[in-house]
Structure formats: structure tokens, C-alpha cells
């Protein structure tokens, strides 16, 4: 790759100053004339019939404007997904489902009135967990589950081999992904590893809770929604579908996002829009922490049975997986992603992956950074670690022997494009932590690999040059991880200007060029191509203008430092702002310097990672202390290494947290730790130093060779922790998070 002036260098994010000074505008900061405040009232029960709703005491409170129920807002529309759910009407289906909304002239008054709302429930029997759901004794959806959003599965060919349940069942979808004959291969394998694994539900734990402001339009049937979202076009579609509106009449204003991790694609938006349109005035709803954890869409609990077979040399001969995914009220489509990755990390001719997506009377699950993959790889990588011990082989070398390469198949039967997994393993082999393992009693080092196929979508961008030399990029993407800072660098590199001369214009659904949602690690490779295309067109326009002005060949024009100049001729230069001014003022001339770029790549740029963790396990208490962590990731080309390292470190911190700390706790179908006091996640002093090692194997599909970055770092951390504990103690943990008491009991029972 040629040397670049701006790309590949560490640069601060463009909105960092606004965020650290508190001047960035979040949804909770929006204040509109005549705005009122809404507070949801959530169901206390996983399944119940609503007998009566007595609003008299609430309505008598000073400042209370309305108490609204499903009868007022639903208009007979059934909800096929959480995003299109307004209010419960007649029956509640999960604890945390919105039943009513209290609207008042202040947040405090709305909250006080909501506490006075008297709802009488007739409690019904509920399906509380996956084990109960699989018996089919009681059906969550007696007449069949509503059509679910399978988009997450379809991103990577996850529908291939799919088969829906043939009768009413709590097994909403049963799928089989298969090649060869895994069960026959297991019978003839030299060694077989057969284990069961499980993990808790996990919340995304973003700092900013869900928040929405909705403002009715000038005429009936129009609404503007200000929202903390990762995908404005997705939210527009969901609001329009939920309320029976035309998409053209729904305008989405994406606000600064205070953390999303896959969870912010529209949960409250339709509800708040319905309230605003009903009252004909602006409405704001900002969830409390407990409300957020009760009514939003966490990652599912998954139980996984893995059987691995290998020959005497360690070559995998069979992989048989059975995964039960507990999705809550609605199916979500995790199966395809899980199958893609769990069956696509290692070369194996005989693979069978059977998935069951089950529904229960719990809050619907959703996406959480690499949905389902950390859980799936906890099971796979723990089993691979056991295989290496059974064969008395080095766990890294066993992985290297079997690791997939370009052209090998994923778990859904699609070939991998160019990938760099082995390059990461090569780098890991030389790392001091790995080379010095096994020297301190009570300490262990665990290794695991991870990855993510990466989504990709068509995208557009507009680039224009103003008369003062400012380059403006108009985009429709939402920046949740600093991706716009990389787009600025692409434009600056292409046009020969300093990054400070490039400004991002964040468009709404009315004004921004189409861009995919900020999830699936797709924005850089999808939008980056459109920004590059638009910038190259603008560069050509500037070069042509300068060639005419200087009466030179266009091949002799270069753009450097915000100037167009003739190569090798001092003094023959002109600012790009001056060129833009002349172009747009000249009668009969070329017109403004502006271009619309488009991109629709045909294949993704997958990212793979190797992670290892060094831990100490107290022999008396079984307390696990992580000491060091390393993430070695192939990013193709690091457009901005500082941002890439931040993604790698943040994702690994989340993976370690899933392994050691985080889990939603339920009593029956009711969440019992819906707050940050009882929901455990690590503080700064609970996490070890995390080293980010960047590997660059350029992708043919990403801009400047860049690969996806955001998802892979979370995928292997939990598995690496489990393998480190095994290395330190000799016992295998099979449940996440690792509970100290459970580990202590395993250690007491171990003969080691």
C-alpha cells in the first residue's frame, strides 16, 4: 500500500471536544416549545390479563395532562416485534411491557402520577425459561408467533438450510446447517470432546438510557422523531409500520448516541410518536435505568452442546452443535449468525449445527455487539482447548493446524473471502505472555480465537467544496464509534487537504444520503466506498478546473495542502476554494464543485482476532483476578490506529465482563437486578491492562484495504477467560458468568 499523508496515523475524533466539555446534544437535551413529558407504566408480571386501569388519582395530580392506554393509541394494530409495540391491550406478555403512559408538564410530575396509576391484573401462568418452553405444555403464542424480523440471520446467509416449526410451538424456528456426516465422523474419530455450556442473558449496559422526543407535523399524519439511534432509516421504517404512516411522513433526527452496542434501533420511538400525534404536541420520554433494563432488548441466554472429533494428529474430523437460543417474546434471528461463526472458525468436512430459537414470557432479546457469537465461541473454544489437552498438543498450534483460510466454508456453507486468522495466530505465537506461560503457580493463560463476517450494504455520500476551501461531506450514517472521523480522513487524503478542513454534515432521513445502520461492523466498508467515490469525483472536478486555468495537462495537476498546483512549477497554484468560487460564478461554466458518491460492494471484509488473558485464581477462595489481556486483530488497514485500538480494547473489556461478571437474574419470568447497583459489571480496577496488537492484511473489498473492526474484539474474551481458569486450576467452567462459589465447588471436587 502506498504511503498516505493522513490515513494510518493516530488522530483525535472530530466530536471529542463537544463530548468532553458536555456541549454535545443528546436526546434528553432536546427542548421544544410546548413540550410535555411522558412516563411509561410497565407490567409487573410476565403474563397477565389487564382487568382495569384506574387513572383517577393520577389525573387529579397537578400538571398531569393525560393517561393513555392501548385503547387510546393502538388502533387495533398487533405488534409483530418489540420495535412496533405500542402499549399492551387486554393482556401483558412480559414483565416490563409498557401498559400505559402518563403525560405531565414535568418529568417529576409524570413520574409521581405514574406511581399512582392503579392497574388490576389477573395473573396467568407463564413460560419462564427455555427449558420450560421446549416442553410445549404451555404456549406463549397459541395461534403461532407473529412474523419476526429475521434480518440479523440473513446478513450472512443465515437463512440457508432454515426450517420453521411446522405447528404451533414455543420453538419458533428450528434450523439445521449441515455438510458431510458429522455423526458418522464422530463414531470413527480418534478423540471426541462432548460438553454442554450455558450463559446468562446480558444487557448492553450503555451509559445513556433510551430517549425519544417526538413532534407532530404541520398536518395530521406527520411526525418528527429526535432519537438516540444507531440507524435512522430503520427507525423510520419501524415507526411508519407501527403507526400505519407513509415513510415520507416520518422524519428522523438522529442525535448524539451515548452508547448503543446494537440495542438502539427503535424501541420507544413508535410509542412516543403515537403519544405526540394523539396529543398534538411535542413529547419527550427518557427512561430511568430500571425502566431501560426492564423493557429493552438484551442479549439472549443460550445453551450449547458441542461434540468435537479429531484424528490422532489433531485434525478436526467432526463438529456437531446443538444450540438453544432463548429469545423472549419475539424471535430475533440469532441462529444464522451463530451457525456462520461456530461452524466457520475451523476447517472441517463434517459439520452439523442444529439451532432452536424459542420464545418465552420474557422481554424480547435483540442485538448486542456480535450477536450470539461470544456465547457460541465460549462453547467452541472451550471445547477446542479441551481437545488440545486430550491430545497433549499446544493449544495455539492445534488452532493453527485447523484454522480456516480464504475459500474455506463458514458454518452456513458460504466460502470466506480473504481473511487473516493465521496471520493473527503467527503474531500471537511470538507474544511474551504466551511464550512465558506456566511459570507462576496459581496463574493461567488462556487463548481463544474470534471473528465476525461483517455486514455490508449500499451507501451514498455527497462531497462539496465551499468557496472558503472547506470540504463538506453529507452523510446519512450515525456515528457511534468515531467512524465519521475516518470518513474525514478519506476525504482529506483524496483531496489533498488537512483533516481540519473537512466537515461532516449529519443528514436526517429527509436530507441525508442513504446509509446503513451503525451495526454489524458495516459502516466503514460500506460508507467508506461512497465517501471515496464522491471525493474522487470532486478531485477530478478540481483538477479539470485547475488544468483550464493554468493551460496545463490534467496529469500535471496535483492537489496538496488545499491547493491545486502544477507539478514542478513554483508559483502556479490556486486554492481549491478559489476554484470552487470561479466554477459556481462563471456563466455557462461547470457549476458548483459537488458530487454524489455511491458504493455497493459485493462481498464483506471479515475481521478475525486472537485473544489471550492471564489470570490468577486464589486457591482458597476461587476469586479470579485478570492480570493481563491481549487482543491481536487483523484490521486490514487501520485508517486511524487510535480509534482501532479503542475498539479493540473496549470490545475485549466487554468480552471479559461477559465471562466474569455480567448476567441478568430472573425469578421466574421477572428480572430481579434491573439497575446498575445489582447488575454487576467491572469497574476500572476490575479490568487488567489490555494490549491492542494491530495486524494489517489488506482486504480487497474495504476502502484502502480496511476491514471491519467493531465486532471481533468482543467475540473471544469470555472463552479466553474460561481457558485461563482451566490453565490455572485444572477445572473447566461451563457456565457464564463464572461464579466464584461455583468455581470453588469445582475446585474442591477436582482431584488435581
Amino acid at each position: 500500500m502506498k504511503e498516505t499523508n493522513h490515513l494510518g496515523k493516530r488522530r483525535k475524533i472530530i466530536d471529542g471536544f463537544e463530548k468532553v466539555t458536555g456541549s454535545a446534544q443528546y436526546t434528553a437535551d432536546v427542548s421544544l416549545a410546548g413540550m410535555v413529558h411522558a412516563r411509561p407504566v410497565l407490567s409487573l408480571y410476565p403474563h397477565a390479563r389487564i382487568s382495569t386501569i384506574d387513572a383517577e388519582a393520577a389525573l387529579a395530580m397537578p400538571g398531569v395532562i393525560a393517561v393513555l392506554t392501548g385503547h387510546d393509541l393502538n388502533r387495533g394494530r398487533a405488534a409483530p416485534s418489540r420495535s412496533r409495540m405500542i402499549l399492551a391491550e387486554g393482556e401483558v406478555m412480559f414483565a416490563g411491557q409498557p401498559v400505559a403512559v402518563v403525560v405531565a408538564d414535568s418529568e417529576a410530575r409524570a413520574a409521581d402520577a405514574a406511581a399512582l396509576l392503579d392497574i388490576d391484573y389477573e395473573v396467568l401462568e407463564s413460560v419462564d425459561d427455555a427449558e420450560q418452553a421446549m416442553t410445549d405444555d404451555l404456549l406463549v403464542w397459541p395461534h403461532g408467533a407473529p412474523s419476526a424480523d429475521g434480518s440479523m440471520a440473513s446478513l450472512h446467509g443465515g437463512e440457508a438450510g432454515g426450517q420453521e416449526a411446522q405447528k404451533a410451538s414455543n420453538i419458533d424456528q428450528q434450523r439445521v446447517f449441515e455438510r458431510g456426516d458429522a455423526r458418522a465422523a464422530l463414531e470413527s474419530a480418534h478423540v471426541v470432546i462432548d460438553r454442554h455450556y450455558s450463559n446468562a442473558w446480558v444487557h448492553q449496559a450503555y451509559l445513556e438510557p433510551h430517549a425519544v422526543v417526538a413532534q407532530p407535523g404541520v398536518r395530521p399524519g406527520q411526525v418528527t422523531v429526535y432519537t438516540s439511534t444507531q440507524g435512522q432509516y430503520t427507525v423510520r421504517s419501524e415507526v411508519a409500520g407501527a403507526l400505519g404512516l407513509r415513510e415520507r411522513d416520518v422524519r428522523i433526527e438522529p442525535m448524539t448516541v451515548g452508547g448503543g452496542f446494537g440495542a438502539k434501533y427503535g424501541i420507544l420511538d413508535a410509542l412516543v410518536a403515537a403519544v405526540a400525534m394523539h396529543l398534538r404536541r411535542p413529547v419527550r420520554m427518557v427512561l430511568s435505568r430500571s425502566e431501560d433494563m426492564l423493557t429493552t432488548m438484551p442479549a439472549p441466554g443460550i445453551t450449547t452442546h458441542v461434540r468435537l472429533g479429531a484424528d490422532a494428529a489433531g485434525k478436526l474430523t467432526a463438529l456437531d452443535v446443538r444450540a438453544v437460543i432463548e429469545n423472549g417474546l419475539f424471535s430475533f434471528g440469532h441462529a444464522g449468525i451463530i451457525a456462520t461463526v461456530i461452524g466457520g472458525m475451523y476447517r472441517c468436512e463434517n459439520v452439523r449445527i442444529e439451532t432452536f430459537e424459542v420464545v418465552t414470557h420474557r422481554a424480547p432479546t435483540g442485538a448486542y455487539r456480535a450477536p450470539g457469537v461470544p456465547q457460541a465461541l465460549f462453547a467452541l473454544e472451550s471445547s477446542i482447548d479441551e481437545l488440545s489437552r486430550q491430545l497433549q498438543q499446544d493449544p495455539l498450534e492445534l488452532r493453527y493446524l485447523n484454522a480456516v483460510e480464504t475459500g474455506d466454508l463458514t458454518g452456513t456453507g458460504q466460502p470466506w473471502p480473504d481473511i487473516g486468522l493465521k496471520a493473527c495466530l503467527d503474531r500471537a505465537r511470538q507474544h511474551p505472555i504466551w511464550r512465558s506461560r506456566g511459570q507462576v503457580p496459581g496463574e493461567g493463560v488462556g487463548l481463544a480465537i474470534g471473528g465476525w463476517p461483517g455486514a455490508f450494504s449500499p451507501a451514498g455520500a455527497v462531497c462539496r467544496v465551499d468557496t472558503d476551501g472547506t470540504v463538506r461531506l453529507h452523510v446519512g450514517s450515525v456515528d457511534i464509534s468515531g467512524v465519521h472521523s475516518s470518513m474525514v480522513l478519506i476525504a482529506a487524503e483524496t483531496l489533498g487537504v488537512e483533516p481540519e478542513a473537512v466537515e461532516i454534515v449529519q443528514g436526517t432521513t429527509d436530507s441525508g444520503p442513504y446509509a446503513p445502520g451503525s451495526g454489524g461492523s458495516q459502516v466503514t466498508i460500506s460508507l467508506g466506498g461512497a465517501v471515496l467515490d464522491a471525493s474522487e469525483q470532486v478531485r477530478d472536478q478540481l483538477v479539470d478546473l485547475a488544468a483550464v486555468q493554468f493551460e496545463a495537462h490534467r496529469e500535471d495537476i496535483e492537489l496538496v495542502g488545499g491547493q491545486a498546483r502544477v507539478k514542478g512549477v513554483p508559483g502556479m497554484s490556486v486554492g481549491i476554494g478559489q476554484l470552487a468560487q470561479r466554477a459556481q460564478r462563471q456563466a455557462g461554466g461547470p457549476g458548483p464543485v459537488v458530487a454524489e458518491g455511491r458504493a455497493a460492494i459485493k462481498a464483506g471484509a471479515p475481521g478475525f482476532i486472537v485473544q489471550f488473558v492471564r489470570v490468577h485464581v486464589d486457591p482458597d477462595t476461587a476469586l479470579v483476578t485478570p492480570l493481563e489481556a491481549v487482543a491481536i486483530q487483523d484490521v486490514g488497514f487501520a485508517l486511524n490506529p487510535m480509534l482501532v485500538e479503542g475498539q479493540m480494547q473496549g470490545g475485549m473489556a466487554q468480552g471479559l465482563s461477559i465471562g466474569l461478571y455480567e448476567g441478568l437474574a430472573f425469578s421466574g419470568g421477572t428480572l430481579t437486578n434491573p439497575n446498575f447497583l445489582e447488575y454487576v459489571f467491572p469497574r476500572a480496577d476490575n479490568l487488567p491492562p489490555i494490549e491492542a496488537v494491530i495486524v494489517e492484511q489488506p482486504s480487497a473489498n474495504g476502502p484502502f484495504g480496511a476491514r471491519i473492526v467493531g465486532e471481533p474484539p468482543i467475540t473471544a474474551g469470555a472463552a479466553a477467560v474460561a481457558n485461563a481458569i482451566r490453565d490455572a486450576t485444572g477445572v473447566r467452567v461451563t457456565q457464564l458468568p463464572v461464579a466464584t462459589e461455583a468455581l470453588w465447588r469445582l475446585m474442591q471436587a477436582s482431584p488435581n
Side-chain angles (χ1 to χ4, degrees):
M1 180 176 295
K2 69 176 184 179
E3 185 177 348
T4 61
N5 293 319
H6 304 302
L7 294 170
K9 298 176 174 62
R10 303 171 68 85
R11 291 187 176 271
K12 62 185 179 182
I13 60 174
I14 58 177
D15 59 352
F17 181 79
E18 289 85 353
K19 288 181 175 177
V20 300
T21 59
S23 59
Q25 293 293 296
Y26 295 87
T27 306
D29 297 319
V30 174
S31 181
L32 304 175
M35 187 176 74
V36 293
H37 303 269
R39 183 94 268 124
V41 179
L42 308 179
S43 169
L44 302 174
Y45 305 101
H47 191 205
R49 189 170 291 113
I50 303 171
S51 299
T52 60
I53 299 177
D54 185 352
E56 184 177 354
L59 288 170
M61 286 278 295
V64 173
I65 295 163
V67 174
L68 303 174
T69 67
H71 177 75
D72 301 306
L73 302 180
N74 289 356
R75 298 186 180 180
R77 291 183 290 263
S81 67
R82 180 66 184 91
S83 297
R84 298 197 178 189
M85 181 176 285
I86 310 298
L87 293 174
E89 190 171 2
E91 185 179 356
V92 294
M93 300 286 282
F94 67 91
Q97 182 175 359
V99 176
V101 172
V102 176
V103 184
D105 59 8
S106 74
E107 286 186 283
R109 284 176 166 174
D112 289 344
L116 295 178
L117 202 64
D118 187 8
I119 304 176
D120 186 25
Y121 296 97
E122 177 191 344
V123 178
L124 303 174
E125 188 179 356
S126 59
V127 178
D128 294 333
D129 54 42
E131 183 178 358
Q132 181 186 354
M134 295 286 280
T135 67
D136 273 6
D137 290 339
L138 175 66
L139 297 182
V140 174
W141 299 100
H143 305 293
S147 178
D149 176 13
S151 60
M152 294 302 295
S154 64
L155 282 176
H156 315 295
E159 298 296 337
Q163 182 178 10
E164 295 191 4
Q166 299 299 307
K167 61 182 180 66
S169 169
N170 292 325
I171 302 171
D172 182 65
Q173 292 179 344
Q174 180 179 353
R175 302 182 180 280
V176 176
F177 308 85
E178 190 167 19
R179 61 177 181 266
D181 190 338
R183 291 175 177 175
L186 283 168
E187 293 292 330
S188 59
H190 175 74
V191 61
V192 174
I193 303 299
D194 186 336
R195 289 186 178 269
H196 291 80
Y197 304 89
S198 65
N199 61 272
W201 290 48
V202 181
H203 193 268
Q204 295 86 351
Y206 31 75
L207 186 61
E208 175 205 30
H210 280 256
V212 178
V213 174
Q215 182 178 30
V218 175
R219 62 175 178 79
Q222 292 181 325
V223 66
T224 296
V225 179
Y226 303 81
T227 183
S228 174
T229 181
Q230 296 174 235
Q232 56 178 326
Y233 293 97
T234 300
V235 172
R236 180 179 68 176
S237 177
E238 295 297 338
V239 171
L243 302 184
L245 304 175
R246 299 178 299 181
E247 286 195 2
R248 61 184 285 187
D249 290 330
V250 179
R251 179 173 176 267
I252 306 299
E253 284 264 9
M255 305 298 295
T256 304
V257 179
F261 309 113
K264 291 186 175 176
Y265 283 97
I267 293 178
L268 300 178
D269 304 78
L271 170 58
V272 180
V275 174
M277 295 175 74
H278 182 85
L279 297 177
R280 297 296 304 158
R281 62 192 301 179
V283 176
R284 182 170 75 191
M285 180 183 289
V286 180
L287 294 184
S288 68
R289 182 62 59 190
S290 289
E291 289 167 346
D292 189 285
M293 296 185 73
L294 285 164
T295 198
T296 55
M297 300 172 67
I302 302 175
T303 57
T304 311
H305 180 199
V306 176
R307 293 195 296 165
L308 282 177
D311 63 20
K315 180 182 177 182
L316 291 184
T317 58
L319 172 63
D320 186 18
V321 176
R322 183 182 187 271
V324 178
I325 307 153
E326 186 179 333
N327 280 321
L329 186 59
F330 297 113
S331 186
F332 189 75
H334 285 92
I337 299 172
I338 290 172
T340 295
V341 178
I342 200 170
M345 301 302 289
Y346 298 104
R347 188 184 297 115
C348 185
E349 294 181 357
N350 302 291
V351 175
R352 188 177 194 277
I353 304 165
E354 185 175 20
T355 61
F356 299 85
E357 301 215 36
V358 303
V359 291
T360 64
H361 287 112
R362 287 188 183 177
T365 60
Y368 177 17
R369 198 174 190 170
V373 173
Q375 296 84 354
L377 291 185
F378 162 61
L380 177 66
E381 288 296 282
S382 295
S383 293
I384 290 288
D385 201 64
E386 286 301 312
L387 179 64
S388 72
R389 294 177 183 280
Q390 190 87 357
L391 292 170
Q392 297 184 332
Q393 291 191 9
D394 182 289
L396 189 153
E397 299 306 329
L398 179 71
R399 286 173 169 85
Y400 195 90
L401 172 68
N402 291 287
V404 287
E405 299 181 82
T406 302
D408 288 331
L409 299 181
T410 70
T412 53
Q414 303 300 313
W416 285 112
D418 59 310
I419 58 176
L421 174 56
K422 284 197 168 181
C424 295
L425 286 166
D426 282 330
R427 187 71 67 85
R429 186 185 286 121
Q430 305 303 320
H431 197 281
I433 293 179
W434 185 249
R435 293 172 67 89
S436 63
R437 67 193 188 280
Q439 297 181 8
V440 180
E443 289 188 6
V445 175
L447 169 76
I449 67 172
W452 181 254
F456 50 94
S457 304
V462 173
C463 181
R464 63 186 175 94
V465 178
D466 283 351
T467 56
D468 64 353
T470 300
V471 177
R472 287 192 167 83
L473 282 177
H474 297 249
V475 297
S477 57
V478 178
D479 189 351
I480 62 169
S481 60
V483 69
H484 285 175
S485 300
S486 296
M487 299 302 107
V488 163
L489 297 181
I490 290 174
E493 185 71 32
T494 306
L495 296 174
V497 300
E498 291 300 312
E500 291 75 18
V502 182
E503 292 185 2
I504 286 278
V505 180
Q506 167 71 71
T508 68
T509 48
D510 286 357
S511 63
Y514 177 79
S518 297
S521 295
Q522 63 179 318
V523 175
T524 296
I525 65 168
S526 299
L527 181 62
V531 169
L532 181 60
D533 182 33
S535 301
E536 288 176 337
Q537 292 182 55
V538 165
R539 180 188 62 196
D540 289 344
Q541 294 174 30
L542 292 170
V543 167
D544 287 340
L545 288 166
V548 170
Q549 178 167 329
F550 296 127
E551 297 182 349
H553 291 291
R554 71 184 318 276
E555 290 79 11
D556 293 329
I557 303 296
E558 61 182 356
L559 302 180
V560 179
Q563 303 278 318
R565 66 189 188 191
V566 181
K567 298 175 185 176
V569 183
M572 294 191 71
S573 64
V574 61
I576 64 172
Q578 292 174 273
L579 289 175
Q581 186 178 60
R582 292 173 186 174
Q584 67 189 42
R585 289 184 177 180
Q586 180 183 345
V593 178
V594 62
E596 180 179 1
R598 296 181 294 172
I601 61 176
K602 296 180 180 180
F608 282 82
I609 195 165
V610 175
Q611 296 177 319
F612 43 82
V613 183
R614 182 168 69 90
V615 304
H616 175 266
V617 181
D618 188 290
D620 298 319
T621 66
L623 179 67
V624 179
T625 303
L627 302 173
E628 293 180 280
V630 180
I632 303 170
Q633 183 173 344
D634 175 22
V635 304
F637 173 62
L639 298 174
N640 184 339
M642 184 181 74
L643 294 182
V644 168
E645 290 170 1
Q647 287 289 300
M648 293 169 65
Q649 291 164 335
M652 188 160 193
Q654 289 176 306
L656 296 177
S657 187
I658 290 171
L660 288 174
Y661 304 109
E662 292 189 59
L664 294 171
F666 291 88
S667 175
T670 303
L671 181 63
T672 60
N673 59 339
N675 53 68
F676 281 0
L677 242 147
E678 297 169 284
Y679 182 81
V680 180
F681 51 82
R683 303 171 312 209
D685 59 351
N686 296 131
L687 286 172
I690 299 174
E691 179 185 355
V693 179
I694 292 175
V695 174
E696 294 182 308
Q697 298 280 317
S699 165
N701 299 318
F704 297 94
R707 294 184 181 276
I708 66 168
V709 173
E711 246 83 5
I714 197 176
T715 57
V721 164
N723 290 340
I725 292 170
R726 173 69 167 85
D727 191 45
T729 65
V731 302
R732 170 61 59 190
V733 294
T734 57
Q735 292 182 306
L736 296 183
V738 178
T740 302
E741 181 179 347
L743 176 58
W744 182 85
R745 293 186 184 281
L746 286 173
M747 291 169 62
Q748 298 307 303
S750 173
N752 296 335

